[in-house]
Amino acid sequence: MKKTILISILLFGFSLTIQAKNTEIYPTNWWTGMKTNSVQLLIRSTDDSFTTDNVKINYPGVSIIKTYSFSNKKYIAVDIVIAPETVAGDVIIELNQKSGKQKIKWPIYNRRVGNGTQYAQGVTSSDFIYLAMPDRFSNGDPSNDRVKGMRDQSLNRNEMYDRHGGDLQGVINNLDYIQGLGLTTLWLTPVMENDMAKRTEHGYAITNHYKIDARYGGDALYEKLSDQLHARGMKLIFDAVYNHMGSYNFLELDPPANDWVHRWPAYTQTNYREITLFDPYGSKSDKKRMSDGWFDTIMPDINQDNLFMANFIIQNCIWHIEKFGIDGVRLDTYTYNDLDFANRCNKAIMDEFPKMTIYGEVMVHGVANQAYFEQNNIDATFKSNLPSVVDFQSLYYGIIPALTEPFGWTTGVNRLYYTLSSDFLSKNSMQKVLLLDNHDEPRFFSVVGENVEKQKIGFQWLLTCRGVPQLYYGSEVLVKGFKAPDGLVRADFPGGWKEDTKNAFTGKGMTDDEKSTQELVRKLANFRKNASALKTGKMMQYIPVDGLYVYFRYDENQTIMCVMNASNSEKEIDFQKYDERTTGFKSAKNVVTDEVLPSLDKRIIPAMKMWVLELNK
């Protein structure tokens, strides 16, 4: 009897040490068969300190290369190598703490099947991206609107900075709508845990890089969303944040050492001037403040010169791609990162996932300024390996002035022409992500003075110009709002909550203008799915004349002629003026209205209209 009790106690004690909850390991797991088989484990005790950095692992194929200790004795780091022949299973790691020896499990899984074919496929010019904020799109599960123990317990749809209750289930419930609209790819603003006291609706103040926010539904639901997208032949974009984290992140509340974020004698905000990074006359102090200054008081600036912090971020991005089956990566606040680190991170991702596409948020002013941060044709000391960017130049200095300024030598639609002609600076102009608006920009419908025809021109340009088109949720049904402040451009999607009187998913309560704009997007986007000229074809543009701008998308199988009349008067279209592209064609069809032009004789296009014409022989 005594022997049985003793054995039970011993077994119970062993079970506790194996499943100890006071010790965390990051990354939380890894996989067999990864090219990235050298992994740096960051081991953290939440309530005890390590007496030494001596660690033991006795698992076939896993070798310890080096261990590290920190000024904060609650942390150690361990460099390991996972041999190619390693079999999946639980690695037992033996640690030494003040309370005694501890054993903890760290799992190695078999990696996903289909790298580059079933996931990590890349997002290309053949795709159409839907950008949504999970908290503002649809509430599919009211039970997770508030989660006990999390700091932000707000829930008020009438307050723009409170949480509204949208979640991943709401997205899953409406995938039919998204796919039916012609979208092929979903980009959600960050879904990682944001356990901040307030302003958690946007997701960019991450407090745990290895956990999907419980208010969105957690890890399992995010993986379910990925699986359902892939089952539909769709893709998923991961919104990564390298530059900063939330002030309640454990790496800020209880850091391994003081240099994991940039420290200043007093709070110092970035100057938001990317020019300092390449200005031949710039000062070192301005450059340092640009890169090392904090984005916000609640967003500590990550020190990517700290190799431990850098490894933590790089491994985390690879982990997300592999765990959740990510297809593309959008990099937030790209210009504020240490650019050498950014190159290293980009390379690590692309080495592991060769078809992965990465595009950076480069919110700057000037085509050359933007090109500096991507793969370019500029003879500069620093050479970026970033494959692509969000093309803010074609927004700021392209489609917006085209539809809001009178025509002139350097104004109106000429600015769009000039901006696109500067693509010679970029190596991958067809991979630039086009947009009319997003979560940081005013709604395009408001920018163009709530003019429905201008909004429709904007969508027709978005879906026919070179690059990867991106639609911001709700803009397809004329959601409006100026950025004063940013919360006003992050309205709830109509119909995403059961109490909504207007429902853009079903059409209930929508105006004729909202319906017709939505239908235009649906029709043109679905046409684009099978239009090789728009997806992968070349582009040719002609000098705008008196507000009339004509460009072509074409390949050996198809020619699309795009006619934008950005003036306030009707214009004559003489097809013979564009004979480089129109020769040999006898008729055309407007792919939006289905109107057939039986001949390519001169035509009149009304004021402030756009035609998308498929030419036929």
Side-chain angles (χ1 to χ4, degrees), residues 333-457:
T333 51
Y334 192 80
T335 58
Y336 301 90
N337 290 279
D338 176 88
L339 295 183
D340 290 326
F341 159 82
N343 271 0
R344 176 187 162 201
C345 188
N346 296 339
K347 184 179 185 303
I349 294 169
M350 291 184 288
D351 283 350
E352 190 66 63
F353 309 100
K355 290 189 178 180
M356 178 62 61
T357 47
I358 308 172
Y359 60 98
E361 180 197 33
V362 180
M363 194 184 295
V364 300
H365 297 277
V367 177
N369 300 33
Q370 179 173 281
Y372 180 81
F373 296 95
E374 62 176 324
Q375 293 178 14
N376 59 57
N377 298 311
I378 301 172
D379 184 11
T381 303
F382 171 77
K383 295 298 291 184
S384 175
N385 67 1
L386 179 67
S388 187
V389 295
V390 180
D391 190 9
F392 287 99
Q393 306 318 299
S394 291
L395 175 67
Y396 299 155
Y397 306 109
I399 191 62
I400 288 178
L403 299 178
T404 59
E405 292 180 357
F407 181 77
W409 190 263
T410 59
T411 58
V413 76
N414 259 332
R415 296 184 74 183
L416 175 57
Y417 168 77
Y418 291 148
T419 296
L420 290 173
S421 71
S422 296
D423 273 357
F424 72 92
L425 293 170
S426 302
K427 286 193 178 295
N428 305 311
S429 58
M430 290 293 176
Q431 276 297 104
K432 292 182 180 180
V433 175
L434 292 172
L435 73 160
L436 296 177
D437 41 28
N438 70 12
H439 58 292
D440 290 321
E441 297 294 332
R443 293 279 186 172
F444 192 76
F445 188 49
S446 294
V447 172
V448 296
E450 299 183 24
N451 184 306
V452 176
E453 287 305 321
K454 289 183 178 182
Q455 176 73 73
K456 290 180 177 180
I457 291 174

Side-chain angles (χ1 to χ4, degrees), residues 293-326:
W294 288 26
F295 207 74
D296 190 275
T297 55
I298 61 170
M299 295 178 177
D301 194 76
I302 291 172
N303 179 11
Q304 295 147 351
D305 287 330
N306 181 308
L307 294 180
F308 297 103
M309 186 77 244
N311 287 338
F312 183 90
I313 294 296
I314 292 171
Q315 292 175 169
N316 180 253
C317 197
I318 292 172
W319 182 87
H320 272 275
I321 295 169
E322 185 67 24
K323 179 170 177 60
F324 297 111
I326 302 298

Side-chain angles (χ1 to χ4, degrees), residues 115-302:
N115 182 1
T117 57
Q118 297 180 41
Y119 75 106
Q121 303 167 82
V123 177
T124 71
S125 58
S126 295
D127 288 305
F128 185 16
I129 301 169
Y130 198 61
L131 164 60
M133 298 183 68
D135 183 63
R136 302 298 165 89
F137 184 64
S138 177
N139 189 350
D141 182 6
S143 71
N144 61 24
D145 289 357
R146 290 190 178 101
V147 173
K148 186 177 180 180
M150 299 194 78
R151 294 178 177 88
D152 185 358
Q153 292 292 314
S154 67
L155 186 67
N156 186 349
R157 293 181 65 198
N158 294 319
E159 294 293 332
M160 63 182 172
Y161 289 144
D162 284 354
R163 296 192 68 85
H164 291 189
D167 49 38
L168 296 174
Q169 188 60 54
V171 177
I172 291 171
N173 292 348
N174 293 293
L175 288 180
D176 283 347
Y177 168 79
I178 295 172
Q179 187 174 29
L181 199 60
L183 282 301
T184 69
T185 304
L186 179 65
W187 159 27
L188 299 176
T189 51
V191 295
M192 289 86 82
E193 184 182 83
N194 269 237
D195 191 12
M196 301 290 288
K198 59 182 180 179
R199 290 302 313 275
T200 62
E201 85 288 349
H202 55 72
Y204 288 95
I206 297 164
T207 56
N208 190 327
H209 288 79
Y210 283 92
K211 184 183 292 185
I212 304 302
D213 201 299
R215 292 163 297 193
Y216 293 147
D219 290 18
L221 201 60
Y222 189 49
E223 191 160 4
K224 180 181 177 181
L225 170 63
S226 176
D227 290 344
Q228 292 205 8
L229 286 168
H230 291 140
R232 293 168 175 265
M234 299 176 71
K235 300 174 183 178
L236 180 62
I237 288 174
F238 170 59
D239 199 336
V241 187
Y242 297 167
N243 178 69
H244 53 266
M245 58 187 173
S247 56
Y248 284 103
N249 192 301
F250 69 88
L251 290 175
E252 173 63 2
L253 292 175
D254 184 31
N258 201 43
D259 63 347
W260 283 51
V261 304
H262 289 120
R263 306 291 180 191
W264 298 78
Y267 173 71
T268 302
Q269 196 168 39
T270 177
N271 51 31
Y272 303 101
R273 299 282 185 164
E274 84 290 340
I275 298 169
T276 62
L277 303 179
F278 49 78
D279 179 4
Y281 316 113
S283 68
K284 290 181 179 179
S285 60
D286 283 345
K287 182 177 181 179
K288 178 177 175 59
R289 184 165 179 175
M290 166 62 192
S291 296
D292 296 357
W294 288 26
F295 207 74
D296 190 275
T297 55
I298 61 170
M299 295 178 177
D301 194 76
I302 291 172

